[in-house]
Amino acid sequence: MSTIAIHEIIEDVKDLPTLPAVVMEILNNIDKENVDTLELAKKVTHDIALTAKTLRYANSAYYSTMLKVTTIQQAISMLGLNTVRQIIVTASLTGCFPENNCRGFSHKAFWKHANIVGIVAKSIASQLNFNQDVAFTAGLLHDVGILVLVTYHGPEYEQVLTWQTEHHCSRIEAEHEVIGIGHDTVGEALAKQWNFSEQMTHAIAGHHHPETPGLRFLASIVNVADRIAHVLASTDNPDHSTPEIAALPWQALGLTNESLDQLLIDASKEFQRLTESIEL
């Protein structure tokens, strides 16, 4: 077992490429509706790789467009601003972290989980009159610390995965046992390096412990969404499974058993669509 110190993580995240300026602009203005779509499309189009990946996602079976999307502006017209912003952020993030650095780790499975957490978080937010785009983005980003660990400490993280399998424990428990640091702490370091908003940083840092004093409402939304997503991935019949959700975040959100049942039904449908159609 080899412990990874926080100062090593801080140096690691400094080495990561920064997100494109247009993506940072989207993240910093994710809660704003009065966006100049023509200007956004123009800025994205300047990044050829980002444009190509965004259009590939927009044309996937998951989004079910009747016509082939060929430009960012057309994507916004057909799918809506909020959906395209989410696609752009996803496309950008998936390109920041190289694959095949850690045996046993699947980037495709990682992004599928991240997307379903985002979808469930968005659904929870809709019931609570909370900004749905902020919730989706926080869900998408919640485990980003794992990608830092896989990228820079692949062999050590391979041991984490082995420990988790052998001891039938959660990923974050295995991380603390094997490397002495959790992906939530690593994700917080990255969020600060990339100048994410305080609200987003708190959600990433606190999604496993939303009861921590000082964290905002968003951490509880992501915590509940994360647990629901894990249930969907671990059962053949997700519609009839009850996720184990800590009382505090559930109570903080003011959700009922009936709303949980509906969340599971809706989320299981989206999970199936993701499994069958989208290529990350």
Side-chain angles (χ1 to χ4, degrees):
M1 308 300 176
S2 55
T3 300
I4 300 173
I6 187 60
H7 69 82
E8 295 179 73
I9 296 299
I10 291 172
E11 291 304 312
D12 292 340
V13 298
K14 286 180 181 178
D15 286 340
L16 278 171
T18 56
L19 292 173
V22 65
V23 177
M24 289 305 306
E25 184 176 330
I26 289 172
L27 289 171
N28 290 330
N29 296 282
I30 201 71
D31 56 344
K32 293 181 173 60
E33 297 291 338
N34 56 335
V35 174
D36 185 333
T37 58
L38 288 174
E39 185 64 22
L40 173 63
K42 182 179 178 181
K43 289 178 179 177
V44 174
T45 304
H46 286 161
D47 188 322
I48 297 174
L50 180 58
T51 298
K53 207 166 192 180
T54 298
L55 293 176
R56 179 165 67 87
Y57 288 0
N59 283 305
S60 71
Y62 180 76
Y63 293 104
S64 303
T65 53
M66 298 298 291
L67 300 173
K68 185 176 179 64
V69 176
T70 57
T71 68
I72 299 299
Q73 184 61 44
Q74 185 185 21
I76 293 172
S77 298
M78 295 178 67
L79 299 174
L81 172 64
N82 293 338
T83 296
V84 173
R85 287 195 296 194
Q86 293 164 7
I87 294 173
I88 292 168
V89 171
T90 303
S92 177
L93 286 168
T94 55
C96 283
F97 301 93
E99 299 188 18
N100 304 318
N101 281 16
C102 175
R103 286 185 301 178
F105 181 81
S106 167
H107 280 255
K108 185 173 183 178
F110 174 91
W111 285 113
K112 185 167 73 172
H113 173 72
N115 272 273
I116 195 64
V117 173
I119 290 166
V120 178
K122 183 177 180 178
S123 184
I124 293 172
S126 71
Q127 296 191 26
L128 303 173
N129 293 320
F130 188 86
N131 187 288
Q132 295 179 45
D133 296 315
V134 171
F136 176 89
T137 304
L140 183 72
L141 296 170
H142 77 288
D143 276 343
V144 70
I146 291 177
L147 294 180
V148 176
L149 291 167
V150 166
T151 298
Y152 289 100
H153 304 279
E156 294 90 337
Y157 210 77
E158 187 180 334
Q159 295 176 37
V160 169
L161 299 177
T162 300
W163 179 281
Q164 181 184 11
T165 300
E166 292 178 349
H167 293 81
H168 306 288
C169 62
S170 69
R171 179 69 59 83
I172 198 160
E173 289 172 331
E175 288 168 350
H176 282 288
E177 286 290 339
V178 176
I179 58 178
I181 194 169
H183 63 265
D184 49 355
T185 301
V186 177
E188 180 182 19
L190 178 60
K192 290 178 177 177
Q193 176 66 24
W194 277 354
N195 296 313
F196 287 178
S197 69
E198 185 179 78
Q199 179 178 226
M200 199 66 66
T201 301
H202 282 171
I204 293 170
H207 72 274
H208 281 291
H209 301 285
E211 72 281 0
T212 304
L215 293 182
R216 299 185 179 183
F217 197 59
L218 187 56
S220 293
I221 291 178
V222 175
N223 175 272
V224 173
D226 189 29
R227 290 170 182 267
I228 290 175
H230 280 297
V231 168
L232 294 175
S234 63
T235 177
D236 293 328
N237 192 13
D239 285 5
H240 298 92
S241 302
T242 302
E244 296 180 3
I245 301 172
L248 201 57
W250 188 248
Q251 293 167 356
L253 297 177
L255 294 170
T256 64
N257 288 334
E258 290 75 17
S259 60
L260 171 59
D261 291 341
Q262 190 58 51
L263 280 171
L264 280 170
I265 292 170
D266 294 343
S268 64
K269 293 176 182 177
E270 293 295 338
F271 181 81
Q272 195 62 35
R273 286 179 65 204
L274 274 173
T275 300
E276 294 173 351
S277 59
I278 197 166
E279 295 182 8
L280 293 170

